[in-house]
Amino acid sequence: MRFLSRVPNVDWVGHRKRALVLSAVLTIASLSLLLTRGLNFGIDFTGGVLVEVGYPQTVQLQIVRRDLAKAGYTEAVAQYFGNTEDVLIRLPPPKSEAVGAAAEKQKSSQISNNVMNALNAGKNGITLRRVEFVGPAVGGELKKKGALALLAAFGGIFLYIMFRFEWKFSVGSICALTHDAIMTLGYLSLVHEQFDLTTLAGVLAMLGYSNNETIVLFDRVRENLLNLRKRGVLDIVNLSINQTLMRSVVTHFTVLLVLLALHYLGGPSVHGFSVAMMVGVIVATYSSIYISSGVAILLNVKREDLLPPKDDSPGHRDSGGAVV
């Protein structure tokens, strides 16, 4: 515990230019992956068939997935729906070129029959609760709403930090969040992780986590700028990073422990969420040190930016005396 209470003395600011260059290279590489390879969109964004089945007793999802894989539905996603007896199965859209409401109903009915046969519904007492066909138009609408959610998060964070601190800090924070989002999406594209609504929730949660780290650092920078008047800005930023470092290390370590447990024990339904969060936590640690503070330094943030405006009204006295 004594080690955790010590303030390290690492020259983080001295490496900011090299770190910014490295971040630029990795960001360009991530954007290239997203433009060429793209994301592996799940059923939520591409459309598909939803089949809800009911078991007479609790069933293990591994058994459901195994039976579906044997029947050829290797991309099926199975998860509990309400309780451990009800299972929601999401299947990719059928490859048939037929369109129209009648064709969709026929395809959904055929797929539901195949699913019930794959699960041995008659032998195991499984009942079909509902079957729905999700068209690609719905998936396209979800893509737009997901993008709007990201933009709304960025805009709200920018306004909050500008109001809470200063606009130069806001720009640094948005640059860090953009960096984290692109890096995380680039990694998901690289490993071909399925990107569904759960994964999108992980990306949004990661942005909130990253912003929290940035605000903690900026709050310490502001405090030190106002209290340590004889020290330069670069020295203040470096000191602030070192002062918040141990707090960040402990926080990130405990969060990663939870995410690792979720990743290996939570099942495939939360796999994308845990992967996005794990990558985001690691990237957020880096960006809060180098990107957000580095951009603020590039914008020439000064102590005067944080000082309250002077009152030049007539009769004001600097000594704090009464107005006559």
Side-chain angles (χ1 to χ4, degrees):
M1 295 302 294
R2 277 186 184 177
F3 171 75
L4 295 178
S5 63
R6 296 175 183 173
V7 177
N9 186 22
V10 181
D11 185 18
W12 302 100
V13 176
H15 303 284
R16 69 185 185 282
K17 293 182 179 180
R18 286 188 288 269
L20 289 174
V21 171
L22 176 62
S23 296
V25 172
L26 292 177
T27 300
I28 293 174
S30 298
L31 287 173
S32 300
L33 277 172
L34 292 173
L35 292 175
T36 57
R37 185 181 177 91
L39 292 171
N40 180 25
F41 287 109
I43 298 171
D44 295 325
F45 296 104
T46 61
V49 180
L50 301 178
V51 181
E52 183 184 349
V53 296
Y55 282 77
Q57 57 188 4
T58 298
V59 61
Q60 297 294 325
L61 292 178
Q62 291 84 349
I63 298 176
V64 178
R65 298 184 183 114
R66 181 198 62 193
D67 293 340
L68 292 173
K70 287 182 180 179
Y73 296 109
T74 56
E75 299 181 7
V77 177
Q79 61 189 86
Y80 292 125
F81 189 75
N83 53 60
T84 55
E85 290 84 21
D86 295 335
V87 178
L88 183 65
I89 302 171
R90 294 184 290 177
L91 303 168
K95 297 181 180 180
S96 173
E97 297 298 330
V99 294
E104 291 178 359
K105 183 177 181 180
Q106 181 180 0
K107 288 184 290 185
S108 301
S109 176
Q110 181 181 356
I111 291 176
S112 63
N113 292 333
N114 294 339
V115 168
M116 297 299 285
N117 293 333
L119 299 177
N120 296 318
K123 179 180 178 182
N124 297 324
I126 304 173
T127 58
L128 178 65
R129 301 290 176 82
R130 66 185 172 103
V131 54
E132 295 180 3
F133 182 84
V134 181
V138 177
E141 183 179 355
L142 287 176
K143 289 181 183 178
K144 292 181 180 179
K145 290 185 177 179
L148 289 175
L150 286 173
L151 292 176
F154 283 157
I157 290 170
F158 179 86
L159 293 175
Y160 170 76
I161 297 182
M162 184 175 64
F163 174 78
R164 186 73 172 80
F165 297 95
E166 214 268 337
W167 72 269
K168 297 176 184 177
F169 286 134
S170 292
V171 175
S173 175
I174 292 300
C175 289
L177 291 179
T178 305
H179 168 270
D180 295 346
I182 293 175
M183 295 288 285
T184 302
L185 294 176
Y187 179 83
L188 294 175
S189 175
L190 177 65
V191 300
H192 210 56
E193 180 69 35
Q194 188 176 82
F195 191 87
D196 52 18
L197 288 178
T198 305
T199 310
L200 176 60
V203 174
L204 291 173
M206 176 273 300
L207 293 179
Y209 184 87
S210 173
N211 186 58
N212 177 70
E213 289 297 309
T214 300
I215 288 178
V216 169
L217 175 59
F218 282 168
D219 189 63
R220 184 57 60 90
V221 170
R222 179 180 60 178
E223 179 183 346
N224 289 334
L225 280 174
L226 296 177
N227 294 334
L228 305 176
R229 299 295 183 93
K230 295 182 179 180
R231 305 182 70 164
V233 174
L234 296 182
D235 192 17
I236 290 293
V237 173
N238 203 63
L239 174 64
S240 302
I241 295 174
N242 283 309
Q243 288 176 337
T244 58
L245 183 63
M246 286 299 104
R247 175 258 179 206
S248 298
V249 168
V250 173
T251 303
H252 296 171
F253 178 72
T254 54
V255 171
L256 284 175
L257 287 179
V258 175
L259 291 173
L260 285 172
L262 189 65
H263 178 75
Y264 290 105
L265 303 177
S269 59
V270 293
H271 190 269
F273 177 89
S274 59
V275 170
M277 279 294 293
M278 282 191 291
V279 176
V281 166
I282 296 173
V283 175
T285 306
Y286 171 87
S287 67
S288 63
I289 294 175
Y290 286 115
I291 306 300
S292 57
S293 59
V295 171
I297 292 174
L298 286 178
L299 293 175
N300 194 27
V301 64
K302 302 185 294 293
R303 180 176 286 105
E304 291 75 12
D305 296 332
L306 301 174
L307 293 176
K310 294 181 179 180
D311 189 355
D312 296 329
S313 59
H316 175 76
R317 294 184 179 180
D318 293 336
S319 60
V323 178
V324 293

